[in-house]
């Protein structure tokens, strides 16, 4: 199963909004609502920020939101803050008890 | 909620095997799926496989079938991930992470275990 496609990098100024795309196929992103997003800071373990396409775990800022259209899921970070810098990965159920991650996106706050 | 603690960094020679542990505190793995994820240096996350609450049933990503073996102790408090016939390409940080059954997302994650392969 091929990795989901994400842009290598996205940047924005503090206070702006950015959107990260995650493109898969009808076998993964397009066919299931088990799409989640993970934030990873350097040297740290990933942390979930969105699950089930649009839901936020308890404790995650409401500046993070998710959506999906067809085979592409998106993560939007609004009111960008310095602490949002890091790598972001989407993940989708791919059927047959398999999961697939995205290629990862480095977010920079200018 | 369960918390995960992984075993420490390992240095192995090419051709050897390595066994990484993931220990649960605050609960046991009899109520969770336990996933394993690899991250090579400077690279992205790669899903490797999952151990189910039975402690026997597993599923592996195609790329890791025959390469990785998941197991669990009888107390259901520790899951093990063994990588065989190590090559330089297996050098990575390996993470365990739990999933409440049928929810499709991973939380929490272990702190990661760095495996170095060097002659």
């Amino acid at each position: 199963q091929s990795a989901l496609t994400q842009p290598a990098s996205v940047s924005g100024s503090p206070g702006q909004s950015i959107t990260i795309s995650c493109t898969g196929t009808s076998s993964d992103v397009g066919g299931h609502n088990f799409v989640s997003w993970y934030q990873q800071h350097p040297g740290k373990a990933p942390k979930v920020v969105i699950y089930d396409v649009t839901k936020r775990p308890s404790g995650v800022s409401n500046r993070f939101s998710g959506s999906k259209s067809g085979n592409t899921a998106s993560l939007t970070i609004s009111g960008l803050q310095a602490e949002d810098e890091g790598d972001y990965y989407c993940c989708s159920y791919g059927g047959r008890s398999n999961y697939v991650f995205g290629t990862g996106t480095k977010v920079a706050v200018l | 909620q369960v918390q995960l603690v992984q075993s420490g960094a390992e240095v192995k020679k090419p051709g050897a095997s390595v066994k990484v542990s993931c220990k649960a505190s605050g609960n046991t793995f009899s109520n969770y799926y336990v996933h394993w994820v690899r991250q090579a240096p400077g690279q992205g996350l790669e899903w490797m496989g999952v151990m189910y609450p039975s402690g026997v049933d597993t599923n592996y990503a195609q790329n890791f079938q025959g390469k990785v073996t998941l197991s669990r102790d009888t107390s259901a408090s520790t899951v093990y991930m063994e990588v065989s016939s190590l090559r330089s390409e297996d050098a990575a940080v390996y993470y365990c992470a739990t999933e409440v059954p049928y929810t499709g997302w991973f939380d929490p994650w272990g702190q990661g275990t760095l495996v170095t392969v060097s002659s």
Side-chain angles (χ1 to χ4, degrees):
Chain A
Q1 200 153 18
S2 299
L4 308 175
T5 301
Q6 299 180 229
S9 63
V10 173
S11 62
S13 299
Q16 285 187 330
S17 292
I18 62 169
T19 296
I20 304 168
S21 61
C22 168
T23 301
T25 69
S26 58
S27 296
D28 38 61
V29 175
H32 307 280
N33 283 330
F34 280 169
V35 176
S36 51
W37 289 88
Y38 300 86
Q39 175 193 63
Q40 186 180 35
H41 290 130
K44 299 296 187 182
K47 168 195 165 189
V48 63
V49 293
I50 291 289
Y51 68 96
D52 288 359
V53 179
T54 62
K55 298 176 182 176
R56 262 190 329 274
S58 172
V60 172
S61 172
N62 60 8
R63 298 184 298 102
F64 291 88
S65 62
S67 63
K68 188 180 84 167
S69 177
N71 296 336
T72 298
S74 298
L75 173 71
T76 297
I77 310 174
S78 57
L80 200 61
Q81 299 181 0
E83 67 203 50
D84 300 330
E85 277 204 343
D87 296 324
Y88 290 81
Y89 296 90
C90 60
C91 180
S92 173
Y93 180 69
R96 297 187 178 184
S97 300
N98 281 268
Y99 283 84
V100 58
F101 281 95
T103 50
T105 298
K106 185 173 293 294
V107 168
V109 181
L110 304 174
Chain B
Q1 186 187 16
V2 68
Q3 295 182 346
L4 308 180
V5 177
Q6 298 184 222
S7 49
E10 301 263 14
V11 179
K12 295 291 183 181
K13 294 187 185 305
S17 297
V18 66
K19 197 169 188 178
V20 177
S21 67
C22 174
K23 184 173 175 57
S25 63
N27 210 323
T28 69
F29 289 131
S30 56
N31 301 310
Y32 295 92
Y33 298 166
V34 182
H35 296 266
W36 288 85
V37 176
R38 182 172 81 174
Q39 187 169 36
Q43 302 300 308
L45 305 175
E46 187 175 13
W47 183 80
M48 301 172 66
V50 58
M51 164 71 76
Y52 293 109
S54 68
V56 177
D57 297 314
T58 56
N59 187 59
Y60 300 99
Q62 190 170 9
N63 288 350
F64 293 97
Q65 286 178 1
K67 177 74 169 174
V68 170
T69 303
L70 301 181
S71 59
R72 197 180 78 183
D73 69 354
T74 54
S75 68
S77 65
T78 304
V79 170
Y80 301 93
M81 188 279 302
E82 184 171 22
V83 184
S84 61
S85 303
L86 286 166
R87 303 166 59 175
S88 57
E89 306 91 273
D90 297 317
V93 175
Y94 292 83
Y95 293 101
C96 61
T98 55
E99 175 196 353
V100 173
Y102 305 112
T103 57
W105 51 292
F106 310 150
D107 179 69
W109 293 59
Q111 82 275 21
T113 296
L114 175 64
V115 174
T116 302
V117 182
S118 174
S119 55

